[in-house]
Amino acid sequence: MTTIDYTRADRKRKKKATVTLLTFAILIFLTFIISMNTGFIRLSPSELIQTLFGNGTAQQDLILFEFRLPRIIISILVGASLAVSGCVMQGFSRNALADPGILGINAGAGLAVVLYIAFVPIETTSSVMLLPLLAWVGAGVTATVIYMLAFKKGDGLSPTRLLLTGIAIAAAISAAMIVLVLKLSPEQYNFVAKWMAGSIWGSNWKYVVSVLPFFLILLPYVMYKAKVLNVLNMGDPISFGLGINVERERRLLLAAAVGLAASSVSISGGIGFVGLIAPHLVRRLIGPQHQFLIPGTALVGGLLVLMADTLGRWIIQPSEIPAGIVVACIGAPYFLYLLAKSK
């Protein structure tokens, strides 16, 4: 391929990626508008506009600004964080089935959160701010154990060992959580059961504030490491040859992926498969370059969870279906499809 042909192909790829990203952004905006008017109490388009500009009634202000808007923003942040976490894990492990839920990262974060809920009330602002940090600790310990067990000196990090180790650790943590849940009070049990189903339960502004710093710090860091992920995706020998400190970069990227997943799990519970579906979909559309793959994955993940939460609030009004169940209905068949195709 000549230099001119390569430049033309690169320009065409960038244009396609830009159009795809803009399309996903528009879809998020449209779903955002629909979600603001989805619920047991409906707001007409004119009432919605008046409320947004400060001319609504007290009830309309309460519904929109205290209930729906925080929940919508949290859904987008959770979906984007889980999706990018899965994208990073797939990149540095070269495992197409890597996902924070499948690998047990979400389970580790969940165990830390459930332990905290069992002994400390979470109504206070300080307690809410602690949840993402505690979830990060739980997920970090789990990720470290999985990494140590999956890593083999001389062979590196085997994708198959990583997947099987993660599944085994997740099963063990799930068993421990079941034992713990049996010792909770009825109120705590109801809350934890809802949380484990993947419900966007932290639907007010203090939960937005608690998770936003993780997103604003870790997403730019992951974007900064996009070129490193491109190299790691080529395999260890090429990465070493290009001067990459493979193990150091893997640990740093793993810490960032764990932070994104854990902060999301702390306020959304067990929403699985987002980190699996979003990277695969975006990779098919715009290719494997992480400069475009990461922002595209973030947009698709945010769109997926926002749509799932909106559908969950609409299907059986006035009751709700947790977003995690809606996502699982899509993700489980897709995971089986990927598992059947993988070698």
Side-chain angles (χ1 to χ4, degrees), residues 91-142:
F92 72 71
S93 69
R94 293 179 291 117
N95 187 342
L97 300 178
D99 169 83
I102 296 169
L103 295 182
I105 306 300
N106 288 1
L111 181 60
V113 172
V114 171
L115 282 170
Y116 186 68
I117 290 170
F119 298 103
V120 181
I122 59 170
E123 286 78 14
T124 62
T125 301
S126 59
S127 297
V128 170
M129 295 301 174
L130 273 175
L131 281 178
L133 293 174
L134 291 170
W136 197 357
V137 172
V141 172
T142 305

Side-chain angles (χ1 to χ4, degrees), residues 74-90 96-102 106 197-198 200 260-261 264-265 268-283 293-294 296-309 323-332 334-335 338:
I74 285 173
S75 297
I76 295 172
L77 290 176
V78 165
S81 297
L82 289 173
V84 172
S85 178
C87 179
V88 172
M89 290 181 181
Q90 290 174 18
L97 300 178
D99 169 83
I102 296 169
N106 288 1
I200 307 293
L260 287 168
S264 301
V265 170
S268 69
I271 298 180
F273 298 111
V274 177
L276 180 72
I277 298 172
H280 276 274
L281 176 61
V282 179
R283 197 177 287 112
L293 182 60
I294 291 171
T297 297
L299 289 172
V300 171
L303 177 63
L304 181 61
V305 175
L306 179 58
M307 288 179 64
D309 185 59
I325 294 177
V326 179
V327 173
C329 290
I330 303 169
Y334 191 69
F335 174 70
L338 291 175

Side-chain angles (χ1 to χ4, degrees), residues 236-258:
D236 290 359
I238 295 177
S239 301
F240 280 121
L242 293 174
I244 299 292
N245 188 333
V246 174
E247 293 311 316
R248 177 178 174 272
E249 294 297 342
R250 273 186 181 149
R251 293 188 189 107
L252 291 173
L253 288 167
L254 178 60
V258 166

Side-chain angles (χ1 to χ4, degrees), residues 39 47 68 70 74 137 142 153 163 167 206 257 263 290 312 329:
E47 290 174 336
R68 292 185 184 170
I74 285 173
V137 172
T142 305
K153 193 172 182 180
L163 180 65
I167 291 173
K206 62 183 179 182
S263 60
H290 285 83
C329 290

